Amino acid sequence: MTNYKNIIFDLGGVLVGFDSRRCINAFHAIDCGDVAKYVEEHRTEDLFHRVELGLISTHEFCEEARQMTGSTASDEEIIGAWNALLTPVTAERRQRLAEIRERGIRLFLLSNTNDMHWQLCQPQLKGCFDRVFLSYEMQLAKPDPKIFTEVLRQAGIAAHETLFIDDNADNIAAAAALGIATFHNQNINDWTMNNNICLNF
């Protein structure tokens, strides 16, 4: 059983869940049906990809959503609809993070996300991580190997001493190719119930 010195966590599908139907309904409620299609079809190209890479600001994202749909929704309404995608970090997941840190393991967050989602999640994860790496700040996104090598470099950690937990198979494969141990979290609470992650350091 490997004793990892570091664990890198993904955000969505690992720490926070998704409620696509709530998000879709919220976009329809503010006359942004064409934006809702992105969520319904699990598409991440175009404006969603650009805001995730930090190539456009939150305001520019909202302005493009209005132009796309003809909606008169405010920035706050559009941000609220987009954030309706995420469900909260549960007390159980926060407790598991605390238990792992108590064992002296360094914890990091690596997420393909945007400023809107992060502002929602940040208060729920305060104090949980040694360092946070976000695609919109780095202008890199998983599964690009560059984002993993940059995280290792900036955090000062070794691949062979590190476990990466993510719900996306492509991201898992990219990390594994660099010598990082991986755990494919196929259901959101899988990692909380895995003894090798939570109990046996």
Side-chain angles (χ1 to χ4, degrees):
M1 189 169 291
T2 303
N3 293 327
Y4 305 109
K5 293 184 178 180
N6 320 287
I7 303 182
I8 302 172
F9 283 84
D10 180 32
L11 180 62
V14 176
L15 299 174
V16 301
F18 300 113
D19 190 335
S20 297
R21 180 47 52 190
R22 183 175 65 176
C23 182
I24 290 164
N25 290 343
F27 274 122
H28 279 295
I30 58 172
D31 297 321
C32 286
D34 285 345
V35 179
K37 289 179 183 176
Y38 282 81
V39 182
E40 195 163 20
E41 298 170 6
H42 305 288
R43 292 158 50 197
T44 57
E45 69 268 22
D46 301 336
L47 78 162
F48 284 89
H49 183 62
R50 284 182 284 122
V51 76
E52 190 174 78
L53 280 176
L55 302 179
I56 59 173
S57 68
T58 292
H59 175 70
E60 289 168 330
F61 171 87
C62 294
E63 185 59 31
E64 287 197 35
R66 282 188 288 268
Q67 292 174 2
M68 178 190 301
T69 61
S71 173
T72 59
S74 67
D75 283 10
E76 291 73 21
E77 289 173 317
I78 293 170
I79 292 167
W82 186 212
N83 280 346
L85 178 67
L86 303 183
T87 64
V89 181
T90 63
E92 179 187 14
R93 288 175 218 138
R94 286 195 299 270
Q95 179 62 31
R96 291 292 184 271
L97 291 173
E99 290 171 356
I100 294 170
R101 290 198 82 185
E102 286 171 3
R103 292 172 171 80
I105 309 304
R106 298 183 70 197
L107 300 187
F108 301 90
L109 180 71
L110 172 59
S111 178
N112 287 0
T113 194
N114 55 78
D115 184 55
M116 294 168 278
H117 284 351
W118 180 238
Q119 292 305 315
L120 178 69
C121 296
Q122 185 177 20
Q124 304 173 55
L125 293 168
K126 186 176 181 180
C128 291
F129 294 99
D130 292 82
R131 188 161 175 184
V132 170
F133 297 91
L134 307 172
S135 62
Y136 79 93
E137 293 180 338
M138 300 176 74
Q139 296 191 338
L140 290 168
K142 299 174 288 184
D144 186 340
K146 292 178 183 176
I147 198 168
F148 294 101
T149 56
E150 192 61 20
V151 167
L152 294 173
R153 184 188 69 79
Q154 290 190 30
I157 58 179
H160 69 277
E161 296 176 339
T162 302
L163 174 68
F164 173 59
I165 303 173
D166 198 290
D167 66 321
N168 182 285
D170 290 339
N171 298 342
I172 288 290
L178 295 172
I180 301 170
T182 60
F183 180 82
H184 188 190
N185 201 66
Q186 298 183 62
N187 293 294
I188 191 165
N189 289 318
D190 282 354
W191 71 270
T192 68
M193 298 180 287
N194 185 282
N195 287 344
N196 195 35
I197 296 170
C198 295
L199 300 176
N200 293 296
F201 292 103

